[in-house]
Amino acid sequence: MSTPLPFHPSANIAELRESVTIAVSQKAKALKAAGREVIDLGAGEPDFDTPIPIRDAAKRALDQGATRYTAVEGILPLREAIAAQANARYRGGPSIGAGDVVVSSGSKQSLYNACVVLFGPGDEVLVPTPSWTSYYEMVALARATAVEVPGDPARGFKVDVPLLERFATPRTRGVMLNSPSNPTGSVYSPDELRALLDHCAARGWWVISDEIYVRIAYDAVAPGALDVATRRDNLIVVDGVAKAYAMTGWRIGWTISPTAVAKAMGALQSHTTSNPATVSQHAALAALTLGEPVESAVRRMVAEFKTRRDAALPILRASAQLTVLQPEGAFYFYLKVPGADRLADAGAEFANRLLEEEGVAIVPGSAFRTPGWVRISYAAAQAQVVEACHRVVRLAARMA
Ligand code: GLU
């Protein structure tokens, strides 16, 4: 047999790092399959099943033949429903049409599409840090440079205009925003968000506003960019059904953008994946249009996340060894662990030891470019979340 062809990764992915959020949950699943008892608080994935009316609608759609290709950018009724909901929130101009919406295979693909069509070699993109692990990689896959903008933990790591300006250069082309935030759970107020959007518009910077957690907020309604923006010629809103409707596996996300950007993303998608799964689009349509039967399920899930947060936060806060942010939305605790100021990556050491010694999987903050911190998902049963937080506190005491 001839020698196998050696694999040298192409320049496209030479720097690519695997998704740590995905890797942690896969490792937890593998350990469970091997018989170990693991509490998995790694994945940012609701533990609820998709509400029944949505599943029923998907079954009906299948029976009615929803098995073929659709338009690359998604079926028209879904794009119209997305546009109608967006218009109900948006006071500026021009109004949003179905042609401004591209439906993709998860908001992850939507974000990637946006990065690839907007940014390229030589461009810099400001990424408030910590941010979700994939922003940095997606910007790099677009061959642009992600510029980390380190937030202040005392402000829940939120950024403001002066801070963005400290990292701006003539090459700055865009900013990634995410509220409620993964991993911090912070929520920008309407005034904070408006100030950022106004400034980015005045500077001619693109804003990619990832609003996948916008319906999961506990203390006040979380504004989306379209609630406060007065113009949208520089704005790409990314959302999807995964988190609010417990539909992670259906893989449906979307963008709302200026028409020209939507056309470019549709063209890109026409060469990569074509339309997202047809039956999933019908399920998403049901999620957005069935009204009360679905809305009541969403309210119940959000209320349950809040109950878990309120049960577990005091346990973490009682530890003198931990600094714990107040999560106002999403379903994550973000905390600084012992040794953060001393060790190169105390968060990774903490997460590794927590899995080995206490059987709890969480994500090290280095995934979000803040070593020394860790992320705990509370999208799991309350008893598990509470038990895991006691174990976190126990390990913190041992590591102090
Ligand atoms: N976004 C979720 C998380 O941060 C799901 C996993 C992923 O796609 O990164 O855990």
Side-chain angles (χ1 to χ4, degrees):
M1 212 179 86
S2 57
T3 25
L5 184 66
F7 170 53
H8 301 296
S10 75
N12 296 334
I13 61 153
E15 307 285 315
L16 187 71
R17 283 182 271 186
E18 186 190 6
S19 166
V20 178
T21 46
I22 299 282
V24 167
S25 57
Q26 286 185 350
K27 184 170 177 192
K29 281 194 181 82
L31 286 172
K32 276 192 202 168
R36 256 195 74 184
E37 277 192 22
V38 175
I39 302 179
D40 181 8
L41 303 186
E45 176 169 39
D47 57 322
F48 305 110
D49 291 327
T50 301
I52 288 170
I54 299 174
R55 285 188 268 155
D56 285 344
K59 289 177 202 166
R60 274 196 306 277
L62 271 182
D63 288 342
Q64 288 162 9
T67 60
R68 297 174 193 271
Y69 291 141
T70 70
V72 165
E73 57 278 6
I75 54 175
L76 188 59
L78 177 55
R79 286 184 290 130
E80 283 174 343
I82 293 164
Q85 289 197 352
N87 275 323
R89 297 160 43 195
Y90 181 54
R91 307 266 169 278
S95 70
I96 296 149
D100 302 332
V101 177
V102 177
V103 183
S104 299
S105 301
S107 59
K108 203 175 237 180
Q109 186 183 18
S110 305
L111 287 159
Y112 178 77
N113 284 349
C115 286
V116 168
V117 307
L118 294 175
F119 311 128
D123 293 338
E124 292 179 359
V125 182
L126 302 178
V127 185
T129 295
S131 268
W132 180 48
T133 188
S134 295
Y135 296 164
Y136 305 96
E137 302 296 336
M138 288 175 181
V139 170
L141 285 168
R143 295 183 296 159
T145 302
V147 176
E148 294 176 25
V149 178
D152 177 357
R155 293 194 61 235
F157 286 107
K158 288 191 280 189
V159 300
D160 56 14
V161 167
L163 187 59
L164 287 185
E165 279 298 335
R166 279 212 341 246
F167 292 84
T169 76
R171 291 177 299 284
T172 304
R173 287 269 286 159
V175 181
M176 307 292 292
L177 292 182
N178 174 220
S179 174
S181 156
N182 174 8
T184 62
S186 297
V187 175
Y188 285 78
S189 72
D191 285 347
E192 289 168 338
L193 191 56
R194 191 177 300 112
L196 289 171
L197 293 172
D198 285 350
H199 186 75
C200 292
R203 288 289 252 135
W205 294 340
W206 293 105
V207 172
I208 299 179
S209 180
D210 177 355
E211 302 182 2
I212 192 70
Y213 297 100
V214 82
R215 300 205 51 194
I216 305 173
Y218 308 116
D219 308 314
V221 171
L226 292 170
D227 293 312
V228 298
T230 49
R231 55 189 272 194
R232 63 179 191 90
D233 54 316
N234 67 323
L235 181 61
I236 289 85
V237 171
V238 177
D239 201 347
V241 290
K243 312 288 182 178
Y245 301 95
M247 292 178 70
T248 47
W250 299 81
R251 309 309 303 137
I252 294 291
W254 56 79
T255 47
I256 299 165
S257 70
T259 315
V261 180
K263 282 210 165 76
M265 292 190 288
L268 172 65
Q269 190 163 297
S270 77
H271 293 294
T272 53
T273 56
S274 287
N275 63 275
T278 303
V279 67
S280 295
Q281 294 187 59
H282 285 276
L285 178 62
L288 295 194
T289 57
L290 282 182
E292 193 48 27
V294 170
E295 290 306 306
S296 56
V298 172
R299 280 197 302 274
R300 268 199 306 278
M301 291 190 279
V302 174
E304 177 63 27
F305 289 138
K306 182 176 189 299
T307 305
R308 295 170 187 176
R309 179 197 70 167
D310 294 344
L313 190 58
I315 299 169
L316 297 171
R317 283 259 164 91
S319 164
Q321 284 88 36
L322 299 168
T323 307
V324 190
L325 298 185
Q326 172 75 24
E328 302 160 312
F331 32 62
Y332 306 110
F333 296 122
Y334 208 53
L335 41 145
K336 191 173 170 190
V337 297
D341 305 319
R342 181 163 43 82
L343 304 170
D345 193 348
E349 183 174 335
F350 191 90
N352 286 337
R353 284 189 58 181
L354 192 69
L355 186 56
E356 287 311 314
E357 298 171 27
E358 299 283 356
V360 178
I362 60 170
V363 180
S366 50
F368 315 104
R369 307 285 172 108
T370 38
W373 292 70
V374 295
R375 187 192 79 176
I376 300 174
S377 164
Y378 49 92
Q382 182 169 330
Q384 291 205 328
V385 175
V386 164
E387 170 58 26
C389 287
H390 283 301
R391 297 186 197 180
V392 165
V393 168
R394 221 152 59 195
L395 177 63
R398 288 204 297 280
M399 277 182 70

